[in-house]
Amino acid sequence: MRYFVNEFWTNAQRAGHALHEISYRACFKPQLPEFFIDRLTEPSDAVYDPFMGRGTTPIQAALMGRRVFGNDANPMSIMMTRPRLNTPELCDIESRLGEVPWDAGEPTLGDQNFGVFFHPATLCQIVALRSWLSEREEAGKFDYVDDWIRLVAMSRLTGHSPGFFSVYTLPPNQAASIESQSRINERRGQTPPKRDVKALILRKSRSLLRHVGLSYSQFDLYCCDSRNTPEIQTDSVDLVVTSPPFLD
């Protein structure tokens, strides 16, 4: 058996590629899969994460020129991983956002319950974007630029800084109920400020794309029970880097 010893958690070593900067519950640092991918595989070898979460292992494997397999039972995982394997240009993101009818959002009664998180104008913009993306998907027009916009919008919904669409709340990898957020607002004496959804998506996109992006085709992502992945052929994977799923 081979043993590997290293230190992963100093501040300098936490600085990974910008594409990893998507918040997700209990994700490990990219230096962890990087360490093992570098030592145990060669370029074009296949790396697999059966519980990929936010996609740290698939993204790092792609950045290192490996064949990527990823799986997670949560469909949100693919939504968070796939766009970062095939990134659009910033100009294309800005152009596509310019097509969104931002003033056309009509929140339903259910949507309006989220007023404890979002300013009414911000909520209208979120609803407009959601409806527009859904219409594009139903019409078969949804592409990798839309995929990216959805990812970034999801990552900006709620958080504890002005870079998020919401008023101050729990960090983005956690969630507060409507009742809990009402108590937070009362305790802090706050009301949701108006946010510019388009501007915040562009701002986060610039940050994520500040390093070289990816245009990667050697990947397969699945959303299924990891015990049953017949699409992945026996003996086709050279390395598995993963973390066990939560039992909650």
Side-chain angles (χ1 to χ4, degrees):
M1 181 179 291
R2 301 170 68 184
Y3 291 89
F4 297 93
V5 179
N6 205 342
E7 166 62 55
F8 299 107
W9 308 119
T10 65
N11 286 334
Q13 288 168 323
R14 285 176 179 159
H17 195 284
L19 283 173
H20 286 296
E21 295 173 4
I22 294 290
S23 296
Y24 194 79
R25 187 178 180 187
C27 51
F28 48 68
K29 302 298 180 184
Q31 287 78 10
L32 181 63
E34 178 186 28
F35 179 83
F36 293 106
I37 292 168
D38 180 58
R39 287 160 175 79
L40 298 176
T41 67
E42 299 292 336
S44 299
D45 280 355
V47 177
Y48 177 41
D49 188 344
F51 313 110
M52 65 182 174
R54 72 164 180 175
T56 303
T57 293
I59 298 298
Q60 188 59 42
L63 288 168
M64 298 173 72
R66 271 55 171 182
R67 177 81 170 84
V68 172
F69 290 103
N71 178 71
D72 203 285
N74 185 349
M76 186 180 294
S77 182
I78 290 182
M79 295 180 188
M80 299 181 74
T81 304
R82 183 178 58 209
R84 290 179 290 146
L85 290 168
N86 186 23
T87 58
E89 297 291 333
L90 191 61
C91 60
D92 294 327
I93 299 168
E94 187 167 13
S95 175
R96 186 63 54 83
L97 287 171
E99 299 176 20
V100 180
W102 295 104
D103 297 328
E106 297 183 2
T108 65
L109 187 60
D111 292 330
Q112 292 170 17
N113 291 328
F114 293 101
V116 295
F117 294 97
F118 308 109
H119 185 280
T122 306
L123 183 58
C124 286
Q125 291 180 24
I126 294 170
V127 170
L129 178 61
R130 180 187 66 187
S131 299
W132 186 77
L133 288 173
S134 295
E135 289 170 4
R136 286 183 62 81
E137 195 161 22
E138 291 171 3
K141 297 179 180 179
F142 194 90
D143 64 11
Y144 74 110
V145 181
D146 301 315
D147 213 15
W148 176 271
I149 290 171
R150 180 173 63 182
L151 156 71
V152 178
M154 286 169 49
S155 76
R156 298 291 90 191
L157 278 174
T158 59
H160 52 306
S161 78
F164 294 91
F165 303 160
S166 71
V167 70
Y168 180 98
T169 184
L170 297 179
N173 56 347
Q174 301 179 38
S177 67
I178 291 172
E179 294 75 17
S180 295
Q181 187 59 38
S182 295
R183 291 193 292 271
I184 292 172
N185 291 352
E186 183 177 358
R187 185 172 66 250
R188 293 175 57 88
Q190 65 182 18
T191 56
K194 185 178 180 180
R195 309 283 199 205
D196 186 332
V197 171
K198 175 183 176 182
L200 290 177
I201 291 174
L202 280 172
R203 174 180 165 185
K204 182 61 176 178
S205 295
R206 289 190 187 96
S207 177
L208 289 169
L209 296 172
R210 68 183 184 273
H211 298 154
V212 176
L214 275 172
S215 181
Y216 208 69
S217 60
Q218 297 186 68
F219 69 88
D220 287 288
L221 305 178
Y222 305 100
C223 180
C224 59
D225 188 326
S226 62
R227 295 169 296 183
N228 183 26
T229 53
E231 298 87 354
I232 303 176
Q233 299 298 312
T234 301
D235 296 328
S236 64
V237 171
D238 298 289
L239 176 68
V240 174
V241 183
T242 193
S243 176
F246 282 99
L247 297 176
D248 58 5

